[in-house]
Amino acid sequence: MQRVRVSSQQAPVHKLGDSQMTLSPKFRLPAARSTITDHALDFDSSLTGEPLIPGFPNDVALQCLLRVPVDQHTSCKSVCKRWYSLFGSKELFFTLRKVLGFHDPWLFVFAYHKCTGKIEWKEHFLLYVYFY
Amino acid sequence: MAAETGTPTTLTLKSNDDELFSVAESAAILSVTIRNMVEDGCAGGVIPLDNVDGKTLASVITYMNGISAIPADEEKKKSYRDKFLSDKDFETLADMVLAANYLNMSCLMDAVSAKIAQVMEKKSVGWVRRKFGIENDYTPEEEAAVKEEHKWTFEGVETDDDN
């Protein structure tokens, strides 16, 4: 049986974020993760740097890009690194939607497909869905 | 004094390529930018709109007239917006979203940006880069890695020759 050392016994809470902790192998992300993640810019710095869409103020670009359905996000990530950092994080995407005042709710439907054995999902803009 | 006569006030808008357009004040004030100018009393002469070209301004004015003729019925307004945007190409939509932003017209802004997002669906990465003028800043290896991560999302994407 492997014992897990509880770090709080030695390190008080303020130690969180300590450089030692990030260097510790225990906290390292699996090496198999894409190398692109290393290049993904911090979104704040990407906002001050090059625009998301050339010629568009970033708030206008966000108005368009934040409406892209979630099932398109993975292909949008391939466009450029700035888009990777926007579409790569669902937390960031939905936080920005909230910040910019997008109130139309999305409904996520998950379904198990009997024939293919796959779990499929699709989001719907609730504004355009009618209930019977 | 002109307001007392009962005839609808007309404003003259000037695009950045010096085209002049007449539009009823009641329609033009859908733009918060223009409404502020009217309220500040600086809309007496020609209103210069330096960030909008004539072609785009003509479209925006068509929209202003169309939507302001519809009484307060959100369903009808929505179907007008859908119909108005249905025949616009991508370049026009891009110009219109910038114009809507400059003119501060939230209803047009919402409709056009939703339409742009809708047009982007099922388009290839190359198409999106070309239309938005985005430079590919991935190295070939990085791009292959991103595509490999999500191979299945590239199934069912339209071919690249659709402009």
Side-chain angles (χ1 to χ4, degrees):
Chain A
M1 199 176 92
Q2 206 180 2
R3 281 187 183 278
V4 178
R5 196 177 66 193
V6 181
S7 60
S8 60
Q9 285 176 351
Q10 290 159 339
V13 177
H14 71 259
K15 276 269 192 182
L16 283 176
D18 187 299
S19 62
Q20 269 192 329
M21 182 168 149
T22 50
L23 287 173
S24 157
K26 281 185 297 183
F27 297 101
R28 207 169 268 174
L29 292 169
R33 274 188 74 131
S34 160
T35 51
I36 309 299
T37 326
D38 303 336
H39 300 289
L41 300 164
D42 174 47
F43 193 72
D44 288 336
S45 68
S46 73
L47 274 181
T48 53
E50 281 192 68
L52 285 162
I53 300 173
F56 278 50
N58 268 339
D59 55 342
V60 179
L62 283 172
Q63 287 283 340
C64 301
L65 299 182
L66 292 179
R67 292 171 203 269
V68 173
V70 177
D71 57 0
Q72 299 292 313
H73 286 191
T74 37
S75 63
C76 285
K77 281 201 255 179
S78 298
V79 170
C80 64
K81 289 176 184 174
R82 295 181 305 285
W83 284 33
Y84 189 98
S85 50
L86 172 66
F87 290 108
S89 158
K90 294 287 168 285
E91 290 87 350
L92 173 67
F93 185 84
F94 284 100
T95 308
L96 282 171
R97 275 183 65 89
K98 213 170 172 182
V99 169
L100 291 190
F102 284 59
H103 296 302
D104 44 323
W106 285 2
L107 172 71
F108 289 85
V109 179
F110 288 82
Y112 175 72
H113 199 292
K114 248 184 178 177
C115 300
T116 60
K118 282 181 181 169
I119 293 175
E120 297 177 349
W121 62 276
K122 175 81 188 159
E123 83 275 10
H124 298 276
F125 297 94
L126 274 188
L127 289 182
Y128 308 120
V129 174
Y130 297 93
F131 294 97
Y132 295 101
Chain B
M1 291 294 271
E4 305 293 325
T5 60
T7 52
T9 315
T10 304
L11 302 179
T12 306
L13 310 180
K14 190 170 88 166
S15 65
N16 64 5
D17 45 5
D18 293 331
E19 269 192 76
L20 294 175
F21 297 87
S22 289
V23 57
E25 185 186 300
S26 56
I29 57 172
L30 278 173
S31 152
V32 176
T33 308
I34 295 176
R35 191 198 304 159
N36 288 343
M37 286 179 174
V38 171
E39 283 169 4
D40 294 345
C42 38
V46 173
I47 301 177
L49 301 170
D50 296 335
N51 288 11
V52 189
D53 63 36
K55 182 172 160 277
T56 312
L57 189 55
S59 285
V60 172
I61 288 172
T62 307
Y63 172 82
M64 283 170 162
N65 288 330
I67 206 86
S68 61
I70 298 170
D73 181 340
E74 205 38 56
E75 280 288 311
K76 282 186 184 156
K77 286 189 178 188
K78 186 186 170 313
S79 64
Y80 175 81
R81 276 194 282 267
D82 290 348
K83 192 162 165 285
F84 174 74
L85 294 175
S86 62
D87 60 342
K88 301 281 183 283
D89 62 20
F90 190 83
E91 286 73 14
T92 311
L93 291 173
D95 289 339
M96 283 185 73
V97 78
L98 291 171
N101 181 54
Y102 173 68
L103 293 169
N104 201 347
M105 293 175 69
S106 60
C107 61
L108 183 61
M109 180 88 188
D110 287 351
V112 179
S113 49
K115 180 75 182 174
I116 288 178
Q118 192 197 333
V119 171
M120 279 168 62
E121 278 187 47
K122 297 290 175 198
K123 296 293 184 198
S124 72
V125 173
W127 187 94
V128 173
R129 280 188 197 133
R130 225 173 26 250
K131 289 289 180 185
F132 282 126
I134 294 174
E135 199 189 327
N136 178 11
D137 55 359
Y138 286 122
T139 63
E141 295 79 24
E142 286 173 337
E143 190 169 357
V146 178
K147 286 200 173 171
E148 191 61 33
E149 268 182 60
H150 308 289
K151 231 179 189 171
W152 55 274
T153 56
F154 295 95
E155 292 164 5
V157 169
E158 287 178 8
T159 48
D160 235 7
D161 51 11
D162 51 336
N163 286 309

